[in-house]
Amino acid sequence: MTTMRSLAGVALAVVPCAAALGQGSVTMYGIFDNGYLSDKTQGKGTINAINPSLSVASRWGLRGTEDLGNGWKANFVLENGFTGDNGQQAFGRLFGRASHVGLSNRQLGEIQLGRMANLGLLFTAGMMSPFGPSFQQAAVTTTAAYNTGDFGTTARVNNAVYYFSPRWAGMQAGLGYSVQTADAEIAGGSRNNRMADLGLRYDGGRFKAAVSYQYVMPASTAGARGKPSNLQVGVNHDFGAFTLYGGYGRLSDPTVDPGANGATHFAATHDRDHAYQVGVKVPVGAGRVLLGYQRTTGSKIENYGLAYVYDLSRRTWLYVYANRTEFRLFSAAGATAGDAWRRQIAMGIAHRF
């Protein structure tokens, strides 16, 4: 807490100084989300709690840019995730959400170096479902696998270089490579978990689409069955009265169990899993109703989600939602060990600054 207060004070001091010197700009930004959650898993007691990040992940960050002339800019992002119910840091690190610096050019694109989100999170997650990567178990991550440890801790990769092309007629490409998705590189390339990342997205106004693909070359000491890969496709179309969403994911050769309910969901005999998602967003008054369904074929997960989000202003919103996940349990040998369910009911408030 002391460290966060100190850094926030420094950030607020930096902003006017940078503007006064005319050398660039630094912006502090963030989102703060807290609410009430009732969480019940079959065979266990109900947890009733004030929890953080129920509709969107709480974070604060610093974003800076400097005009270098001739169309070039230097940029950086430092972004912290935190749990607003107790003031602790998320990810176990100060800038766990993002820590990268780079150069950009309007005609040539942008290159970033450091820790950042993979293209499954950046490009396709928000295209597949109205819930995107938020709303707890209703999030696409219940079935989409880009956030498993194979592809970076919670979809973030370290020691990475990413390139983003300029936008051409609504189209943008992304290309990334991490020389070690874990914290530090070690001698010998084959002893590092390396990952290649490809993505393409299109924004045509009412119609949007994206595809992403992660491919991991595991460390030789990891004992992997193969080379994990993850393909995701997401599309949505705004018809005016409602927006329709659809998504598909294919996970191959995982070394990390993608189950998200505290149990083994993915049997050792399942080398490939397919995920399907459909959803709709309907404007209602000053808010919107979100409805989604998702399932996987190999790990046998199904999720139903329903939410209403009400905008108090452009920066503050209230929300209420419920979701239910049904999943199959597998033994280490791959045999079915039973079925279970988990349901969540939540309400809260979020503010963007």
Side-chain angles (χ1 to χ4, degrees):
M1 283 295 286
T2 302
T3 302
M4 290 180 66
R5 290 196 187 104
S6 300
L7 284 170
V10 171
L12 293 173
V14 166
V15 175
C17 292
L21 292 173
Q23 295 177 342
S25 64
V26 177
T27 301
M28 185 175 183
Y29 64 92
I31 301 175
F32 197 165
D33 179 348
N34 272 350
Y36 164 79
L37 174 67
S38 174
D39 195 333
K40 167 69 175 177
T41 299
Q42 181 178 354
K44 300 180 180 179
T46 301
I47 299 174
N48 296 290
I50 301 300
N51 270 20
S53 306
L54 294 178
S55 76
V56 65
S58 296
R59 85 280 308 257
W60 69 270
L62 302 174
R63 182 187 298 116
T65 184
E66 181 187 14
D67 192 337
L68 302 175
N70 297 318
W72 288 95
K73 291 183 179 181
N75 309 291
F76 79 86
V77 173
L78 295 170
E79 190 170 288
N80 169 274
F82 66 92
T83 54
D85 61 332
N86 56 23
Q88 295 183 1
Q89 291 179 170
F91 305 104
R93 59 190 78 204
L94 181 57
F95 296 115
R97 291 183 59 87
S99 175
H100 55 80
V101 63
L103 295 171
S104 65
N105 182 282
R106 184 175 297 178
Q107 283 73 42
L108 300 177
E110 181 175 5
I111 189 167
Q112 301 173 352
L113 296 93
R115 174 180 171 86
M116 60 205 75
N118 66 32
L119 297 177
L121 175 56
L122 285 178
F123 277 22
T124 53
M127 299 285 189
M128 304 170 74
S129 164
F131 293 104
S134 305
F135 293 89
Q136 299 286 299
Q137 290 294 298
V140 296
T141 49
T142 293
T143 57
Y146 66 86
N147 69 323
T148 70
D150 285 326
F151 313 109
T153 305
T154 60
R156 270 99 183 160
V157 291
N158 299 307
N159 311 301
V161 54
Y162 273 71
Y163 167 74
F164 297 90
S165 76
R167 293 184 181 269
W168 300 302
M171 191 81 71
Q172 184 182 37
L175 173 65
Y177 184 79
S178 169
V179 296
Q180 168 63 294
T181 58
D183 281 332
E185 301 92 334
I186 58 178
S190 63
R191 299 179 65 194
N192 294 279
N193 285 300
R194 298 148 291 157
M195 189 189 82
D197 200 357
L198 303 170
L200 185 67
R201 61 183 171 184
Y202 171 74
D203 186 346
R206 288 187 176 274
F207 177 75
K208 299 178 177 65
V211 59
S212 61
Y213 180 74
Q214 293 85 42
Y215 179 77
V216 176
M217 294 143 278
S220 57
T221 58
R225 299 195 304 273
K227 295 182 178 179
S229 67
N230 181 58
L231 171 69
Q232 286 186 177
V233 180
V235 297
N236 63 74
H237 191 283
D238 184 355
F239 292 93
F242 62 92
T243 302
L244 189 63
Y245 292 78
Y248 167 75
R250 187 194 70 199
L251 172 65
S252 299
D253 295 329
T255 64
V256 178
D257 176 18
N261 292 284
T264 300
H265 288 180
F266 205 78
T269 54
H270 294 150
D271 292 326
R272 179 167 294 182
D273 201 4
H274 300 272
Y276 300 90
Q277 306 206 16
V278 292
V280 64
K281 177 173 66 177
V282 183
V284 177
R288 53 210 171 273
V289 172
L290 313 178
L291 180 65
Y293 169 76
Q294 53 186 312
R295 70 179 182 91
T296 57
T297 58
S299 49
K300 303 299 182 184
I301 301 172
E302 284 190 283
N303 175 269
Y304 308 81
L306 174 65
Y308 179 66
V309 181
Y310 181 81
D311 295 319
L312 293 174
S313 70
R314 295 184 64 181
R315 296 191 299 154
T316 304
W317 63 94
L318 302 174
Y319 58 86
V320 57
Y321 66 84
N323 64 71
R324 178 183 171 93
T325 304
E326 299 174 357
F327 52 94
R328 181 157 297 171
L329 305 175
F330 295 97
S331 68
T336 299
D339 294 321
W341 54 262
R342 180 182 181 183
R343 69 106 179 101
Q344 295 178 322
I345 301 172
M347 61 184 70
I349 182 171
H351 176 74
R352 189 188 309 274
F353 59 90

